[in-house]
Amino acid sequence: MKYGCIGERLPYSFSKEIHAELGDYEYEIREIAPDDLDAFAEVADFQAINVTIPYKERMLPHLAELDEGARAVGAVNTVVNRGGRLFGYNTDIYGMTKLFEHAGIDARGRRAAILGSGGTAKTARAVLTRLGASEIVTVGRRETENTIGYERLAAEHRDIDIIVNTTPLGTFPDVRVTAAVEFGAFPKLAGVIDAVYNPLRSALVLEARRLGLRAEGGLYMLVGQAVRASEIFFDRRYPEGTLEEVYQKVLLRKENLVLVGMPSSGKSTLGAELARRLGREFCDTDTVVEERTGLTVGEIFARHGEARFREEESAAIRELSVRTGLVIATGGGAVLNADNVTELKRNGRLIFLERDLDELTPTDTRPLTSDREALKRKYAERLPVYRACADMTVRVEGLPAELAKKTIERLFNE
Ligand code: S3P
């Protein structure tokens, strides 16, 4: 391996595709068992690598020199081999600093709690210190000299302003797990940072946003540390704006495009066209429900009622929302349930297909909108819900192919 990333288990890593955006070099993801790490570092058959969990600290004894950040934090995420001598760097500090900036969370004079006590927790402490936080507590499952437990956090630090999660809790595939914090226990809480980047918005981030707090996941940090690492690998500088540009590209590629809107507004038609043009998989929540139950939507309504359909629909949404890079068409009533919206936003960008009432058509196969009166009622009731949950609105006009083309242009330019 010449360039790459080492860690113990890396099925979730986005690093390969981030580095592919940064330059024309092979970047390999390599899983190394704990017993093999020392031999790997001794042989050092690489030019430059990134190092991730759980080796950021274990790599230190193998390094001839450390940069200032690595020394301050006591962990490295970048190692360069210069004629057999290994030099260690910490570019996570840069990445996390940029993440705070991107999230619009100002740590100056603020009280912060760091969840977790591994290498990333140490990075968070160094960053918060540099950003001027007035008080920093580290919270872990076990109390130690430098770490308090979760119960003590809630009991003795009610006045914290910022929470930074550095534990892997909530990472794919266990996306509905969070650290044991109740945001309600912290009346001054204003911002939440989560180092988890897969899913793009962790359960912690979604909960914080639901409460109106500023909250960001770890993708910006991941891209930031990669940009700086690549600069060190090749001893070069990227232009200002590279981080933002690569972040937007990777985000767009990973995000599910989720179409919401009234029955017969064209979600399935536009969805299939978008998927074809973007080379993505297309999923329709109604179709997933039909596959899961072996019944048509009409049959589920007729035999078991709407409530049962809604349960099946939520189950289908939970299944799809942990995946990335899909185009998803939702049933017209799906986003009326706030939990479904939360699920869809985990990895998704919600696009509302706005089509005038006169252009919508009642259909026999749609039990709730089978006549014009019902369609009209549903339209009035749902329009504000569609508008409120949407990240972007597309007016349905012209041919599907043209609309898909325009929508893609907007996605790439906005
Ligand atoms: C529904 C719309 C349908 C389907 C079900 C319920 C609704 O999907 O999920 O009949 O509540 O409006 P489409 O919007 O794809 O027709």
Side-chain angles (χ1 to χ4, degrees):
M1 161 161 80
K2 223 168 160 190
Y3 304 100
C5 179
I6 64 160
E8 189 178 1
R9 274 184 305 270
L10 298 169
Y12 56 84
S13 181
F14 291 180
S15 287
K16 193 178 169 73
E17 53 193 286
I18 294 172
H19 282 272
E21 295 293 338
L22 289 169
D24 190 13
Y25 50 98
E26 279 294 321
Y27 187 95
E28 188 187 322
I29 302 291
R30 168 94 58 97
E31 294 188 347
I32 293 181
D35 285 347
D36 299 335
L37 181 73
D38 292 332
F40 172 85
E42 280 312 308
V43 176
D45 186 17
F46 58 80
Q47 187 56 54
I49 54 170
N50 286 124
V51 179
T52 186
I53 293 174
Y55 302 138
K56 290 183 177 187
E57 291 147 294
R58 272 197 56 192
M59 204 61 193
L60 293 180
H62 300 284
L63 306 177
E65 274 185 50
L66 297 179
D67 79 343
E68 188 213 327
R71 238 177 292 129
V73 170
V76 294
N77 75 319
T78 303
V79 174
V80 180
N81 184 347
R82 298 199 179 97
R85 279 168 65 81
L86 301 186
F87 291 72
Y89 302 83
N90 185 314
T91 73
D92 285 334
I93 299 176
Y94 173 77
M96 191 175 278
T97 306
K98 296 305 274 185
L99 171 56
F100 270 87
E101 201 180 297
H102 170 74
I105 296 175
D106 184 3
R108 180 157 301 277
R110 300 289 188 82
R111 297 187 161 91
I114 299 169
L115 313 183
S117 49
T120 311
K122 292 186 192 163
T123 300
R125 179 169 281 274
V127 169
L128 284 162
T129 304
R130 287 184 187 191
L131 293 176
S134 61
E135 189 187 318
I136 306 167
V137 286
T138 302
V139 189
R141 276 171 305 178
R142 279 176 296 116
E143 295 245 345
T144 66
E145 202 184 327
N146 307 311
T147 309
I148 63 165
Y150 283 92
E151 279 156 31
R152 256 183 74 193
L153 175 70
E156 296 171 21
H157 296 272
R158 276 176 54 80
D159 56 354
I160 53 164
D161 307 288
I162 298 171
I163 289 179
V164 183
N165 176 52
T166 69
T167 74
L169 293 171
T171 300
F172 177 84
D174 300 315
V175 300
R176 293 176 188 89
V177 178
T178 64
V181 283
E182 275 294 338
F183 292 147
F186 309 103
K188 287 177 62 191
L189 189 63
V192 174
I193 293 276
D194 194 341
V196 171
Y197 62 82
N198 181 2
L200 298 165
R201 291 149 212 114
S202 67
L204 207 66
V205 167
L206 290 169
E207 172 63 5
R209 288 193 183 170
R210 202 180 60 78
L211 297 170
L213 307 174
R214 279 185 191 272
E216 275 299 328
L219 185 62
Y220 207 83
M221 172 177 171
L222 182 77
V223 177
Q225 63 76 32
V227 169
R228 185 45 61 84
S230 183
E231 288 183 335
I232 295 170
F233 287 4
F234 301 104
D235 194 18
R236 67 179 169 200
R237 294 296 281 195
Y238 290 109
E240 189 67 32
T242 300
L243 163 53
E244 185 64 33
E245 199 179 298
V246 174
Y247 166 77
Q248 291 298 346
K249 260 194 201 166
V250 174
L251 179 66
L252 188 54
R253 201 178 307 140
K254 291 288 174 191
E255 265 184 331
N256 295 324
L257 301 176
V258 182
L259 304 178
V260 306
M262 284 295 284
S264 78
S265 60
K267 291 167 295 187
S268 303
T269 312
L270 181 68
E273 187 63 27
L274 285 174
R276 195 182 62 76
R277 287 171 179 256
L278 294 166
R280 292 185 177 211
E281 188 181 335
F282 174 60
C283 301
D284 188 311
T285 61
D286 283 348
T287 310
V288 176
V289 166
E290 293 183 340
E291 283 164 5
R292 288 171 67 103
T293 57
L295 299 170
T296 67
V297 170
E299 285 166 345
I300 303 174
F301 270 82
R303 291 191 207 169
H304 305 289
E306 181 175 355
R308 172 68 186 282
F309 172 77
R310 295 298 171 203
E311 278 168 32
E312 293 294 343
E313 181 176 56
S314 293
I317 286 172
R318 283 195 297 275
E319 182 183 310
L320 295 176
S321 65
V322 297
R323 300 180 55 196
T324 52
L326 303 173
V327 177
I328 301 173
T330 58
V335 295
L336 298 179
N337 174 336
D339 290 341
N340 289 346
V341 175
T342 301
E343 285 289 335
L344 291 165
K345 291 213 169 193
R346 190 185 297 291
N347 280 320
R349 193 176 298 202
L350 270 56
I351 304 173
F352 168 36
L353 294 201
E354 185 167 40
R355 191 172 200 181
D356 291 341
L357 179 60
D358 327 330
E359 289 179 31
L360 300 173
T361 37
T363 3
D364 291 346
T365 51
R366 291 178 166 114
L368 298 180
T369 52
S370 55
D371 62 74
R372 184 140 289 282
E373 259 320 294
L375 193 63
K376 209 169 138 186
R377 265 200 323 273
K378 293 286 179 200
Y379 184 83
E381 178 187 314
R382 292 174 176 183
L383 191 61
V385 182
Y386 295 140
R387 291 215 168 115
C389 73
D391 299 303
M392 173 176 162
T393 297
V394 167
R395 277 204 63 82
V396 179
E397 50 204 1
L399 295 170
E402 281 162 22
L403 191 60
K405 192 160 162 268
K406 262 199 256 168
T407 305
I408 291 170
E409 277 165 16
R410 278 186 60 192
L411 285 167
F412 282 93
N413 294 325
E414 275 176 16

